[in-house]
Amino acid sequence: MWRKDSSEGSDRFEYLQTLVTEFQDTDSEEAKEQVLANLANFAYDPKNMEYLRELQVIDLFLDMLTEDNENFVEFGMGGLCNLSMDPECRDIILQSGGITLVTNCLSSRKEETILSAITTLMNLRTPSSHTEITDAGILQCMLRFSLSESPRLRNLASVFLQDCCSEQQVARAEQLMQGQQQTAVGIPLPKD
């Protein structure tokens, strides 16, 4: 059995800590964007989950979701998407009111942000969060996205509806939408 090298773990933690400190200390938006992008990428590796939890990077990513800078939101959402696959991180996101923050990102003008938000909502689904994640408003949004011209957005929204919702929930959401224009109009179109 392979043993984890403690110096590798220590180096990894120190590097991640350096990134978090750099983000907090710099005034440059460009540098902050680069650090956020790096942290979001590191959040994809399960070896980093414990370190990122310890460094409170989940809170950092959640804080980015309310920023005016669309790149901050995109990278914060991407980082949360990666972290939300881990059950402990998922629980922290849920306990921090993450569903509302993530749901708000469904109205982003950036397609990557929306895709990360949909995937994150799917990852955050638990028996206790299921009702909130399959709220009629979210389902109506997914139904609109399922009509999108973007194949990625259309397909992911369809997967959400198929995997996270009952046929009755989808039918109820469709019924609520009757009389409304059945297009993606009303949702800001993502920029490429």
Side-chain angles (χ1 to χ4, degrees), residues 92-111:
I92 294 169
I93 295 167
L94 289 170
Q95 292 163 8
S96 301
I99 293 174
T100 300
L101 293 168
V102 171
T103 300
N104 290 340
C105 291
L106 294 173
S107 64
S108 174
R109 294 184 300 175
K110 291 186 121 185
E111 184 171 331

Side-chain angles (χ1 to χ4, degrees), residues 77 102-103 105-106 112-122:
M77 192 65 259
V102 171
T103 300
C105 291
L106 294 173
E112 287 303 319
T113 302
I114 296 170
L115 293 169
S116 292
I118 295 170
T119 304
T120 302
L121 287 172
M122 291 168 61

Side-chain angles (χ1 to χ4, degrees), residues 22-105:
E22 181 181 343
F23 180 85
Q24 293 167 338
D25 290 348
T26 187
D27 292 327
S28 164
E29 290 222 348
E30 187 177 325
K32 285 182 182 273
E33 287 177 9
Q34 185 63 47
V35 170
L36 280 172
N38 286 327
L39 287 170
N41 286 333
F42 282 114
Y44 191 74
D45 187 343
K47 292 179 185 175
N48 297 324
M49 298 294 177
E50 181 181 338
Y51 304 130
L52 293 170
R53 282 192 303 269
E54 188 175 335
L55 293 166
Q56 300 180 331
V57 172
I58 296 169
D59 292 332
L60 174 66
F61 287 152
L62 287 167
D63 288 344
M64 293 304 103
L65 301 186
T66 58
E67 288 290 325
D68 291 333
N69 181 320
E70 290 181 352
N71 291 329
F72 285 7
V73 176
E74 178 183 353
F75 299 138
M77 192 65 259
L80 284 174
C81 183
N82 290 338
L83 289 172
S84 66
M85 294 182 290
D86 175 76
E88 287 183 60
C89 292
R90 178 195 64 214
D91 292 345
I92 294 169
I93 295 167
L94 289 170
Q95 292 163 8
S96 301
I99 293 174
T100 300
L101 293 168
V102 171
T103 300
N104 290 340
C105 291

Side-chain angles (χ1 to χ4, degrees), residues 2 11 40 59-60 62 68 71 73 89 106 115 119 130 135 145 148 154-155 159 169 176-177 180 188-189:
W2 182 77
D11 290 346
D59 292 332
L60 174 66
L62 287 167
D68 291 333
N71 291 329
V73 176
C89 292
L106 294 173
L115 293 169
T119 304
H130 179 78
D135 174 77
F145 285 146
S148 172
R154 181 176 60 240
N155 292 339
V159 168
Q169 287 175 307
L176 290 170
M177 290 176 63
Q180 297 177 14
L189 295 176

